[in-house]
Amino acid sequence: MTTDLTNPIFTDEEAARKHFEAIRWPDGPICPFCGLVDDAVELKGQSTRPGLYKCHGCQKPFTATIGTVYERSHIPLHKWLLATHLMAASKKGMSAHQLWRMLGFGSYRTAWFMAHRIREGMAPLKGAAGPLGGEGKYVEADTTYVGGKEKNKHRNKRTEGNIGGKGKQIVHTLVERGGHAVSNHIANVSGKTLRPIVMKQVSRKSTLMTDTAGGYMAMGKEFARHEMVDHGAGEYVRGDAHSNTVESYFATFKRGIVGTYHNVSEAHLKRYLAEFDFRYNERMALGVSDAARAEKAIKGVAGKRLTYRPADKVANT
Ligand SMILES: [Zn+2]
């Protein structure tokens, strides 16, 4: 099921609200104050805005957007839905400029804020995902570097020694073959940094596939099996030992970060990682359609902490 952009949910506010309520409240309205399910009345009247409910338990009024990243937004719901569908369906992401043009609404700044809030909806809830791998399963771990290439900068703007990994951001990704990915922005590749990430997110019953980075050596012994491929020595595949899955993840991620977003600031990298992990984990190959993926992103806007203030810098995409 692909996204039908002529669907009224993308143009009509009432249709958009009904769609959002159906996703948010599959069993009827839930009062955000006392938690009562399906025991509220929709208030009607000339001076009442549509979608305002009154709880029969605590008597408080509420709407479906309370407690979501859409709360207190002046952006119409149908624009949120359109933006979410566009971002969810774009494999390499969508720049705020592109989003702004396609929405035909607001300013670049509005589109930028919307994109970041939509990424929050795509981020997993804390503790929601189980560990990767398991018995008979393979989990590949690898790192990649993103950030300004020193050789592309004007000579007098280059920083001494800022070549290769230095001055760049390090991204660490774990991918279960045929399964999900979890990416983290890390400070360095030491065992001390890698250990808590790998130990917390990978089942010990898995076969762990890594390169020969020293940080993996000790922890590798705690897994059912640990294979290392020595990229430095030109070795990439040895039987079932390889990191092709995580390499392929990085290829898409880099095409997005470099091609679509033209690199991202350190402060926001985590949110872009959530976006790329989300699309990978809800991918077509696992049976998730564009429309179903967007629905998950919309469902994800609930229960997320609001972290954006108007004072946040717009220039940092
Ligand atoms: Zn209530």
Side-chain angles (χ1 to χ4, degrees), residues 103-126:
L103 285 173
F105 163 82
S107 60
Y108 168 74
R109 187 187 169 85
T110 309
W112 187 89
F113 275 109
M114 289 175 81
H116 269 314
R117 289 197 170 186
I118 289 164
R119 286 184 190 103
E120 281 196 57
M122 292 176 169
L125 281 167
K126 265 200 166 55

Side-chain angles (χ1 to χ4, degrees), residues 31-36 55-60 62:
C31 171
F33 303 107
C34 71
L36 200 61
C55 175
H56 280 147
C58 69
Q59 305 296 317
K60 286 181 183 157
F62 64 92

Side-chain angles (χ1 to χ4, degrees), residues 16-52:
R17 177 176 68 80
K18 295 249 163 74
H19 182 74
F20 180 62
E21 287 179 358
I23 291 173
R24 178 104 209 268
W25 295 330
D27 303 314
I30 302 169
C31 171
F33 303 107
C34 71
L36 200 61
V37 180
D38 200 21
D39 197 5
V41 64
E42 190 176 348
L43 298 173
K44 309 238 178 193
Q46 275 192 324
S47 57
T48 310
R49 64 193 164 116
L52 190 66

Side-chain angles (χ1 to χ4, degrees), residues 2-159:
T2 53
T3 296
D4 173 12
L5 291 176
T6 65
N7 191 321
I9 64 168
F10 300 128
T11 51
D12 179 77
E13 193 60 2
E14 184 69 2
R17 177 176 68 80
K18 295 249 163 74
H19 182 74
F20 180 62
E21 287 179 358
I23 291 173
R24 178 104 209 268
W25 295 330
D27 303 314
I30 302 169
C31 171
F33 303 107
C34 71
L36 200 61
V37 180
D38 200 21
D39 197 5
V41 64
E42 190 176 348
L43 298 173
K44 309 238 178 193
Q46 275 192 324
S47 57
T48 310
R49 64 193 164 116
L52 190 66
Y53 291 80
K54 188 181 177 186
C55 175
H56 280 147
C58 69
Q59 305 296 317
K60 286 181 183 157
F62 64 92
T63 66
T65 59
I66 290 183
T68 73
V69 301
Y70 305 150
E71 191 180 352
R72 286 190 291 271
S73 156
H74 298 295
I75 298 158
L77 206 48
H78 68 271
K79 295 293 185 190
W80 279 116
L81 298 186
L82 178 57
T84 306
H85 275 262
L86 291 171
M87 282 180 68
S90 308
K91 201 173 176 193
K92 286 171 273 178
M94 183 171 280
S95 71
H97 266 289
Q98 174 81 7
L99 194 58
W100 176 29
R101 285 196 298 272
M102 293 191 78
L103 285 173
F105 163 82
S107 60
Y108 168 74
R109 187 187 169 85
T110 309
W112 187 89
F113 275 109
M114 289 175 81
H116 269 314
R117 289 197 170 186
I118 289 164
R119 286 184 190 103
E120 281 196 57
M122 292 176 169
L125 281 167
K126 265 200 166 55
L132 300 173
E135 206 176 332
K137 292 183 175 163
Y138 293 81
V139 177
E140 300 176 17
D142 205 359
T143 49
T144 192
Y145 295 85
V146 294
K149 285 198 177 93
E150 286 296 311
K151 66 183 170 71
N152 295 340
K153 285 188 189 169
H154 193 271
R155 194 170 290 275
N156 63 15
K157 285 187 178 161
R158 286 184 202 167
T159 315

